[in-house]
Amino acid sequence: MRGDRTGPSLLRAGGVAVGLFLGVRLTGAAVLALVAHVAGRDPLRLLARSWDSVWYLGIAAHGYGHDLPSHEPGPHSDLAFFPLYPALLRAVTALTPLGGGAAGLLISWAGAAVAAAGIHAVGTRLHGPATGVALVLLWGLLPHAVVLSMAYTEPVLTAFAAWSLYAVLAGNWLWAGALAAGAGLARPNGFAVAVAVVAAAAAELWRRRGRVSPRLWTGAALAPLGWTAYVLWVGRRRGDLFGGYFEVQRLWGSTFDFGHGTLLFLRSMLLHGSRFVFPMALVLVAAATVLYALLVLDRAPLPLLVFSGVLLLVVLGGSGFFECKPRFLLPAFPLLLPPARSLARTARARPWHATVLVAALAGLSYAYGAYLVVYAHKPL
């Protein structure tokens, strides 16, 4: 592990990484706007009011308690959506003249920038500034990175996750726990951050034979509070304290069945064919699995392994909207550490090769992102 760089040099490097990230995402948004214009669609509406964004806007405006009728397997309740993003939407619309859609985009872009800074900090702490910049660049050019430009929760979750994991690596347990609690209020899979913090705390406790600071105990206790509080609140509201939230998710078709539903879907896809988004999702999930194996072989720090492993386990073992699985992996930025290290080495030894590779990744990210938002007509 490299030592931390402090002071102006670290700030400058972080600023370069965030600026680079915003540049690639603004370019992607421009490509999407052009494609949307050709298709006769409004790009701002597509970015601000697509799929889950509509649910969050409704919760921010009217509160919880609204269902969408559905027979397979049951009514879809807005209680499936965690409260942090609607609360931020409500605050921004109350404090500024922005409407709900514009406020959602502001929150997502700001969250993505904060996340990029945190991702850079993690990469720099572990392997130096070049890897930190490469890690941010790869994250911003993932095939599903268009979601980072939309009014979705993944940028906010990733911001909390990145800085919580950085705090763990730096030994700042109070910040790690508090940020993990915030991540748990952002999305259902935000509990992965709490699991990582608690696992790291347990390992430190074992290593020091119980002689640890009270800050470690406090941070570990704080970490799961956000996720647990919302799950119990939904359970109380539904009349089943410990099972109510999971029943809400079941009615959305989202359960953890150890991969049974995923295997059935893959069998159907192979036998009967499917639209492009499904085999692409399969390729991306398979790639994530390979990257996790490389991360393990690279002996990454325990909290990064646990965080990424929990997110990957939820994707592999959960049923539900298969086309959404790559989006669920967007916060799992540690999976990109091995290719980021390779990209940094390539950039030093053969800059032209690195440039061609980044250009190819950008072309894929922009083209596929525009296809997903403008033409696919499938949940993101």
Side-chain angles (χ1 to χ4, degrees):
M1 181 183 294
R2 302 282 184 88
D4 278 333
R5 294 189 173 194
T6 58
S9 62
L10 182 60
L11 291 176
R12 282 196 297 271
V16 169
V18 173
L20 189 62
F21 170 78
L22 292 176
V24 299
R25 290 315 322 147
L26 283 169
T27 304
V31 171
L32 187 147
L34 178 62
V35 173
H37 176 74
V38 171
R41 310 284 299 277
D42 180 357
L44 287 178
R45 185 172 184 83
L46 288 172
L47 290 173
R49 296 179 179 273
S50 292
W51 302 105
D52 287 5
S53 303
V54 177
W55 285 92
Y56 286 113
L57 289 171
I59 296 167
H62 308 293
Y64 285 102
H66 300 85
D67 294 349
L68 180 68
S70 175
H71 299 293
E72 295 181 2
H76 294 169
S77 170
D78 57 8
L79 291 171
F81 297 89
F82 275 51
L84 179 60
Y85 197 79
L88 293 174
L89 278 171
R90 194 177 300 115
V92 172
T93 53
L95 297 173
T96 71
L98 296 176
L105 290 177
L106 175 64
I107 293 166
S108 293
W109 279 80
V114 173
I119 291 170
H120 174 266
V122 171
T124 298
R125 182 178 180 87
L126 293 177
H127 303 296
T131 297
V133 172
L135 186 61
V136 171
L137 184 61
L138 291 178
W139 185 63
L141 290 177
L142 287 170
H144 267 65
V146 66
V147 174
L148 302 175
S149 304
M150 300 175 68
Y152 265 64
T153 54
E154 274 70 22
V156 175
L157 170 58
T158 310
F160 278 99
W163 284 108
S164 178
L165 293 172
Y166 179 80
V168 171
L169 295 176
N172 194 328
W173 295 101
L174 288 179
W175 273 111
L179 291 167
L185 289 170
R187 282 196 52 75
N189 57 353
F191 76 91
V193 188
V195 176
V197 172
V198 172
E204 185 72 5
L205 185 67
W206 175 266
R207 188 175 70 86
R208 293 183 176 271
R209 300 183 183 278
R211 295 188 292 272
V212 296
S213 164
R215 291 173 177 266
L216 182 145
W217 292 101
T218 305
L222 284 173
L225 289 185
W227 187 87
T228 303
Y230 182 69
V231 168
L232 293 179
W233 179 80
V234 173
R236 182 175 181 273
R237 181 162 174 153
R238 301 282 292 192
D240 180 0
L241 186 63
F242 298 107
Y245 172 76
F246 301 102
E247 175 63 13
V248 168
Q249 286 285 11
R250 187 190 69 80
L251 294 176
W252 272 87
S254 296
T255 59
F256 189 83
D257 58 5
F258 299 94
H260 179 69
T262 297
L263 291 175
L264 289 179
F265 180 85
L266 292 179
R267 179 177 179 274
S268 175
M269 184 178 72
L270 293 173
L271 289 177
H272 307 293
S274 65
R275 300 187 64 174
F276 179 61
V277 293
F278 296 108
M280 185 66 173
L282 175 61
V283 169
L284 294 174
V285 171
T289 306
V290 172
L291 288 174
Y292 186 72
L294 294 176
L295 192 67
V296 173
L297 293 174
D298 204 32
R299 297 184 178 180
L302 178 66
L304 303 187
L305 290 175
V306 172
F307 171 65
S308 301
V310 170
L311 290 178
L312 186 60
L313 179 63
V314 170
V315 164
L316 293 175
S319 62
F321 298 95
F322 190 85
E323 63 271 34
C324 296
K325 290 182 182 292
R327 171 169 67 86
F328 300 156
L329 287 170
L330 275 176
F333 69 90
L335 295 177
L336 300 172
L337 272 170
R341 295 181 69 186
S342 297
L343 179 60
R345 289 194 295 266
T346 302
R348 284 192 295 267
R350 296 180 294 276
W352 176 246
H353 291 185
T355 301
V356 171
L357 175 60
V358 170
L361 291 174
L364 171 63
S365 178
Y366 299 157
Y368 188 60
Y371 166 76
L372 282 177
V373 177
V374 180
Y375 291 111
H377 303 299
K378 287 290 181 182
L380 283 171

